[in-house]
């Protein structure tokens, strides 16, 4: 999966040899693939629920899931073989460098079976040391790349519990929110996530109208090899979408997520884990339907406005998350040399898994419902750090974060109109 997203897709999105075929740029291709993924994640629970409800048998539902997974493995393998055989560009050797040469030499030295080599125990120990050195070298190259800051910023977001995850849903149920309300809110959040795949190509194209100024780069910060690959990809693979649009729209995305999560943290801070026993179970009188529904499906001590604020802004934050995810994915696809893409993506996924593990450990430590507010506050802090790190990277790349001259002109126009 990592190899296909980070290595195959940039190669296959380049213009075909037949000029009559339309060019499907990398931005749209990433968006469509992510859209398919998110739609499947939205429909899969609904389909399996319908099957279980119709047959009244959980066993049949399990059999359907197992059969689907088994059949999909064969279909995926057949599809991969077909794409590999029909596109010769995937089989072309990548540009070699000192790293790949060293790995080839190391592989050639250990190509024989270990039991046929003299001193197999020593050889096994040597291979273990070599493997550890290779992993350390991959991590070193990760932090020497031009886009390690956007990558680690995206990985940091997996430390947050402010999403419709199992931890967050369990907490909401424990404090008295209705499962129906959570299901509806989660479905709305999924629709917002899918909409991000429609917004991202448009936003990147719109913000790419301003070309990047090479003088904004600070000396010694940009990997020269990655910059050379980027310029080559801009000419051959991305004739319409430049890196400036990706950088700027990614900043818009993560900033949107941060701004929408602030009301979510405030709402969670007001939620009490123990509903008042003296409160009436009847919804308070209201002249509109929405407050009645929210009052019936929320804890008795939570106002409908707080419930609406919690789920509305949490769902809205998903738009910024996936915009930032798509733009960062394309940055790592285009600004990493082809020979290093798989290694870079593997290291990034290691950090993602590490931060996800940190989230589960934090949830285990702060396991009481009344302690969830601290998890929410810590998650918001992780998003703040991620936003600050990515903003710093964009400033290093572009030399600025805001067009103050345009803001000044806008203020002058507003003043002129008011006078």
């Amino acid at each position: 999966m990592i190899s296909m997203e980070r290595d195959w897709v940039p190669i296959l999105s380049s213009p075909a040899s037949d000029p009559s075929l339309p060019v499907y740029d990398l931005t749209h291709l990433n968006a469509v693939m992510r859209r398919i993924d998110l739609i499947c994640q939205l429909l899969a629970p609904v389909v399996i629920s319908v099957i279980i409800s119709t047959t009244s048998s959980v066993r049949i539902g399990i059999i359907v899931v197992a059969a689907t997974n088994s059949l999909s493995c064969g279909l995926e393998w057949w599809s991969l073989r077909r794409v590999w055989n029909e596109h010769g560009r995937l089989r072309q050797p990548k540009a070699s460098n000192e790293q790949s040469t060293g790995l080839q030499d190391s592989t050639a030295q250990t190509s024989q079976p270990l039991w046929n080599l003299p001193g197999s125990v020593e050889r096994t120990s040597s291979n273990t040391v070599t493997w550890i050195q290779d992993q350390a070298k991959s991590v070193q190259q990760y932090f020497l790349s031009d886009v390690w800051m956007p990558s680690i910023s995206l990985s940091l977001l997996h430390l947050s519990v402010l999403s419709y995850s199992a931890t967050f849903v369990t907490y909401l149920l424990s404090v008295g929110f209705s499962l129906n309300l959570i299901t509806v809110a989660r479905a709305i959040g999924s629709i917002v996530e899918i909409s991000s795949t429609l917004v991202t190509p448009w936003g990147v194209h719109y913000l790419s109208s301003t070309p990047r100024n090479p003088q904004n780069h600070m000396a010694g910060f940009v990997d020269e090899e990655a910059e050379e690959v980027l310029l080559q990809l801009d000419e051959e693979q991305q004739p319409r979408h430049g890196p400036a649009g990706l950088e700027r729209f990614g900043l818009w995305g993560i900033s949107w997520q941060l701004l929408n999560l602030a009301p979510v943290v405030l709402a969670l801070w007001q939620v009490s884990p123990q509903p008042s026993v003296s409160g009436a179970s009847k919804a308070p009188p209201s002249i509109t339907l929405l407050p009645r529904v929210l009052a019936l499906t929320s804890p008795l001590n939570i106002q409908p406005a707080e419930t609406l604020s919690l789920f509305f802004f949490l769902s809205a934050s998903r738009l910024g998350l996936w915009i930032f995810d798509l733009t960062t994915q394309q940055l790592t696809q285009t600004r990493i040399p082809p020979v290093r893409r798989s290694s870079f993506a593997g290291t990034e996924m290691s950090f993602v898994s590490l931060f996800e593990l940190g989230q589960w450990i934090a949830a285990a430590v702060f396991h009481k419902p009344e302690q969830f507010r601290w998890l929410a506050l810590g998650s918001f802090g992780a998003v703040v750090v991620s936003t600050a790190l990515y903003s710093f990277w964009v400033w290093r790349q572009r030399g600025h974060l805001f067009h103050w001259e345009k803001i000044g002109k806008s203020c002058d126009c507003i003043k002129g109109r008011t006078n």
Side-chain angles (χ1 to χ4, degrees):
M1 187 66 181
I2 296 176
S3 178
M4 285 186 293
E5 285 187 353
R6 300 299 178 88
D7 199 12
W8 286 28
V9 172
I11 296 175
L12 296 177
S13 64
S14 60
S17 56
D18 188 355
S20 62
L21 296 177
V23 178
Y24 205 61
D25 60 83
L26 185 57
T27 305
H28 284 86
L29 186 57
N30 285 331
V32 170
M33 292 180 62
R34 186 66 65 190
R35 190 181 310 147
I36 295 173
D37 186 24
L38 293 174
I39 290 176
C40 291
Q41 292 181 15
L42 174 62
L43 296 180
V46 177
V47 173
I48 193 63
S49 298
V50 171
I51 293 175
I52 294 176
S53 300
T54 303
T55 60
S56 300
S57 174
V58 178
R59 180 177 298 180
I60 294 178
I62 296 175
I63 294 175
V64 171
V65 172
T68 304
N69 290 335
S70 302
L71 294 175
S72 62
C73 289
L75 181 60
E76 289 175 6
W77 179 259
W78 174 81
S79 301
L80 290 175
R81 293 288 299 177
R82 180 178 180 182
V83 173
W84 177 266
N85 293 328
E86 291 184 357
H87 295 83
R89 286 171 292 176
L90 295 175
R91 301 189 298 272
Q92 292 178 358
K94 299 176 182 178
S96 60
N97 54 13
E98 296 179 357
Q99 175 193 8
S100 59
T101 302
L103 292 176
Q104 291 175 359
D105 294 340
S106 175
T107 304
Q109 293 176 1
T110 60
S111 59
Q112 305 180 46
L114 294 178
W115 51 84
N116 291 336
L117 293 175
S120 58
V121 177
E122 292 79 3
R123 179 66 64 180
T124 302
S125 176
S126 176
N127 290 338
T128 303
V129 173
T130 302
W131 179 83
I132 295 176
Q133 291 175 348
D134 291 340
Q135 302 307 312
K137 190 172 184 179
S138 298
V139 175
Q140 180 184 13
Q141 290 179 346
Y142 175 85
F143 286 105
L144 289 177
S145 66
D146 182 32
V147 289
W148 75 267
M149 285 189 182
S151 175
I152 204 71
S153 298
L154 181 61
S155 302
L156 265 172
L157 297 180
H158 290 81
L159 192 61
S160 172
V161 298
L162 298 178
S163 63
Y164 292 107
S165 59
T167 302
F168 187 72
V169 171
T170 302
Y171 167 74
L172 293 177
L173 292 174
S174 67
V175 298
F177 283 98
S178 169
L179 180 59
N180 294 331
L181 177 62
I182 298 174
T183 303
V184 172
R186 189 170 184 176
I188 295 175
S190 299
I191 295 175
V192 173
E193 292 176 350
I194 295 172
S195 68
S196 66
T197 63
L198 302 173
V199 174
T200 300
W202 173 84
V204 171
H205 176 73
Y206 178 79
L207 294 179
S208 296
S209 58
T210 304
R212 180 159 75 172
N213 186 1
Q215 296 180 353
N216 288 335
H217 292 276
M218 300 185 70
F221 181 75
V222 180
D223 188 344
E224 295 181 358
E225 184 178 0
E227 185 71 11
E228 182 179 353
V229 173
L230 173 64
L231 295 176
Q232 181 181 1
L233 288 175
D234 285 340
E235 295 175 0
E236 297 180 358
Q237 293 181 303
Q238 301 181 70
R240 291 176 290 176
H241 298 160
L246 293 172
E247 297 165 1
R248 297 168 64 185
F249 202 55
L251 184 61
W252 278 83
I254 195 171
S255 300
W256 175 265
Q257 182 187 13
L258 178 65
L259 293 176
N260 281 277
L261 286 181
V264 174
V265 175
L266 294 177
L268 289 174
W269 200 263
Q270 299 297 326
V271 172
S272 174
Q274 297 180 355
S276 176
V277 295
S278 61
S281 59
K282 188 177 180 181
S286 177
I287 59 175
T288 58
L289 179 61
L290 182 60
R292 288 181 179 270
V293 175
L294 294 177
L296 289 171
T297 56
S298 305
L300 298 177
N301 60 330
I302 302 301
Q303 297 297 324
E306 295 178 354
T307 302
L308 181 61
S309 174
L310 172 63
F311 290 108
F312 174 81
F313 288 105
L314 182 61
S315 298
S317 69
R318 310 303 292 172
L319 176 66
L321 171 64
W322 288 105
I323 288 176
F324 182 60
D325 181 273
L326 286 170
T327 54
T328 302
Q329 176 181 337
Q330 187 169 345
L331 285 172
T332 57
Q333 287 173 331
T334 56
R335 301 188 67 163
I336 299 296
V339 73
R340 298 182 186 174
R341 282 177 188 155
S342 297
S343 175
F344 183 91
T347 305
E348 179 183 305
M349 293 307 299
S350 298
F351 281 108
V352 169
S353 300
L354 179 63
F355 289 125
E356 287 181 345
L357 178 61
Q359 177 194 143
W360 289 110
I361 293 176
V365 174
F366 299 94
H367 59 279
K368 297 181 180 180
E370 58 267 20
Q371 295 175 332
F372 189 84
R373 61 180 63 182
W374 298 109
L375 284 178
L377 188 61
S379 299
F380 185 74
V383 179
V384 171
V385 173
S386 177
T387 305
L389 186 61
Y390 184 77
S391 301
F392 176 74
W393 180 81
V394 172
W395 175 75
R396 294 287 295 266
Q397 296 294 304
R398 299 180 52 78
H400 63 275
L401 290 177
F402 307 100
H403 294 279
W404 296 108
E405 66 281 359
K406 295 183 179 180
I407 296 178
K409 292 180 180 179
S410 301
C411 294
D412 292 339
C413 292
I414 294 176
K415 291 180 179 179
R417 291 179 180 179
T418 54
N419 294 334

